[in-house]
Amino acid sequence: MKYLDEYRDPAKVKSLLREIESIVTQPWVIMEICGGQTHAFLHHGLDAMLPPQIELVHGPGCPVCVTPLEQIDRAVEIASRSKVIFTSYGDMLRVPGSTKDLFSIRAQGGDVRVVYSPLEAVRIAEANPDKQVVFFAIGFETTAPANAMALLQAKNKNIRNFSVLVSHVRVPPAMEAILSSESNRVQAFLAAGHVCAVMGFHEYPPIAEKYHVPIIVTGFEPIDLLNGLLAAIRQLESGRSVAENQYQRAVRFEGNESAQRTIRRVFESMDRKWRGIGMIPQSGWGLSPEFQMFDAEKRFDVENISAQESSLCIAGEILQGLKKPLQCAVFGKGCIPQMPLGAPMVSSEGACAAYYKYHRDMAYG
């Protein structure tokens, strides 16, 4: 297939659904890692078309959702200071911190700007040498190469008024954290194709073998997702557990090695806290020694800021596949997109936002 509409062909979708129904014999819990996959399942109504034996649960594959509360508070503190231009992607401006979000700081006169690339933030720093320009560097492996390139450019141009607030996280350690939990329900994963396009999927076979779970790399269109589900169910029904690539038009086993080299130069592995989940060892990236001069946490002395998650928000349980958004007591009431309590209701890839948008009728009984 060559064209987008071919990956949404209704006849092919129905054929795949029939094939899935013909081979499933028992209940299975399958987690799609990425919020983009969650939204695609719900947007196209695929979740409602699946056999009742298949339960989809929604993973922590939304970078906005898993950025820890104290990191938002650090961003708010930095953005509140004079002679600072704070830059970020749009979703991050609405994520609630302990008391404020970045939109509030902008409303109060702070210079908070939405950018579409970290290189745009570097250009802003060049154009404003009398200001400190900070970029909120969040994301999974997909955004790391661009963020690394921005830092390389800033270093090569000797731009001293540019820094980054880093909150990068990695998918494989999160998968292991979910699978090693005593409360784990996940029996197979649909891995995110765009992450694997950068990093490959060479880290997944050992995880599949160790925890006896199929891991299927998929894309984001209906036929991509259903092919991924079909491959997972075939493995589950036959007792196999291997990593399999169902997104071969975009993903190679080794990934994009040039991008990986850039990442390794600028970042190094570190323990990272995930919002609602807690600390996951070696699950994030921080700046390597060569780029420590661009660390906004150190430059603005906000490293020691800590925060306490809301007791009402069950984002952590949702992101681990333990609960669904509709099981949250404040979903659609105390937590809505216009006044979110937790990040999964804010992000365009958040599971709560997806349920609110596509299952709104269910939210109100």
Side-chain angles (χ1 to χ4, degrees):
M1 293 188 285
K2 298 179 181 179
Y3 304 105
L4 184 61
D5 55 357
E6 296 179 72
Y7 293 93
R8 299 178 179 179
D9 177 36
K12 181 63 174 175
V13 166
K14 291 177 182 177
S15 175
L16 286 167
L17 286 166
R18 286 194 297 269
E19 191 169 358
I20 289 170
E21 187 172 12
S22 72
I23 65 170
V24 65
T25 64
Q26 57 185 295
W28 299 112
V29 178
I30 300 174
M31 173 178 279
E32 77 277 358
I33 284 287
C34 178
Q37 294 167 318
T38 303
H39 275 255
F41 271 121
L42 272 66
H43 172 70
H44 295 288
L46 300 176
D47 58 317
M49 301 179 197
L50 292 171
Q53 299 98 316
I54 300 171
E55 180 183 358
L56 295 177
V57 293
H58 320 302
C62 163
V64 173
C65 300
V66 302
T67 300
L69 185 61
E70 55 260 42
Q71 203 73 338
I72 306 299
D73 287 349
R74 292 180 185 119
V76 167
E77 169 61 27
I78 294 170
S80 301
R81 299 191 185 182
S82 61
K83 295 189 176 181
V84 167
I85 301 174
F86 194 92
T87 64
S88 176
Y89 300 126
D91 277 353
M92 293 306 301
L93 270 63
R94 298 192 300 118
V95 179
S98 297
T99 59
K100 297 179 181 179
D101 57 24
L102 288 166
F103 260 134
S104 300
I105 302 304
R106 188 161 79 171
Q108 294 167 5
D111 195 344
V112 179
R113 306 183 189 183
V114 174
V115 295
Y116 297 94
S117 163
L119 294 173
E120 187 178 345
V122 175
R123 290 193 292 271
I124 292 171
E126 281 189 282
N128 295 271
D130 59 328
K131 301 285 185 70
Q132 287 289 329
V133 177
V134 182
F135 176 70
F136 202 171
I138 70 157
F140 286 87
E141 294 92 333
T142 43
T143 59
N147 292 342
M149 288 301 299
L151 285 159
L152 283 167
Q153 186 176 104
K155 186 174 187 293
N156 291 338
K157 292 186 174 185
N158 196 28
I159 301 174
R160 297 176 180 270
N161 64 320
F162 176 74
S163 60
V164 292
L165 181 61
V166 180
S167 192
H168 270 300
V169 286
R170 299 177 55 240
V171 170
M175 294 169 70
E176 291 214 60
I178 290 169
L179 292 170
S180 61
S181 170
E182 292 182 359
S183 55
N184 172 55
R185 301 179 62 237
V186 177
Q187 295 168 291
F189 282 105
L190 300 185
H194 51 6
V195 170
C196 295
V198 175
M199 301 304 295
F201 63 101
H202 53 85
E203 293 180 273
Y204 295 164
I207 297 174
E209 181 179 4
K210 179 179 178 180
Y211 296 97
H212 309 290
V213 294
I215 301 174
I216 315 298
V217 180
T218 79
F220 301 89
E221 294 300 326
I223 289 172
D224 290 322
L225 294 168
L226 291 176
N227 272 321
L229 278 175
L230 178 60
I233 294 163
R234 280 175 175 159
Q235 287 198 38
L236 289 166
E237 291 282 340
S238 64
R240 295 187 302 122
S241 51
V242 299
E244 186 175 333
N245 183 14
Q246 284 288 328
Y247 198 34
Q248 294 180 12
R249 69 183 186 276
V251 172
R252 298 179 302 167
F253 182 76
E254 66 277 9
N256 185 325
E257 294 173 296
S258 176
Q260 292 169 36
R261 284 193 296 271
T262 302
I263 291 169
R264 286 194 297 269
R265 179 178 172 187
V266 175
F267 298 111
E268 60 183 13
S269 294
M270 61 176 291
D271 299 344
R272 178 69 74 183
K273 187 175 181 181
W274 296 52
R275 188 167 189 164
I277 299 175
M279 188 69 71
I280 301 178
Q282 298 298 293
S283 66
W285 281 318
L287 295 176
S288 68
E290 182 183 354
F291 292 87
Q292 284 292 316
M293 75 285 284
F294 296 105
D295 190 335
E297 287 190 42
K298 291 182 170 64
R299 182 172 295 188
F300 294 94
D301 192 25
V302 295
E303 294 173 281
N304 294 325
I305 288 178
S306 59
Q308 184 67 41
E309 300 279 357
S310 167
S311 60
L312 297 175
C313 182
I314 65 167
E317 293 171 281
I318 292 170
L319 296 172
Q320 296 174 77
L322 302 176
K323 289 187 177 180
K324 301 287 184 65
L326 298 178
Q327 294 174 273
C328 178
V330 294
F331 176 85
K333 305 178 184 75
C335 183
I336 59 176
Q338 295 80 11
M339 296 181 64
L341 183 64
M345 185 62 87
V346 174
S347 172
S348 59
E349 291 191 350
C352 296
Y355 272 67
Y356 190 90
K357 182 174 183 179
Y358 301 114
H359 286 184
R360 184 169 181 166
D361 56 325
M362 298 171 61
Y364 300 100

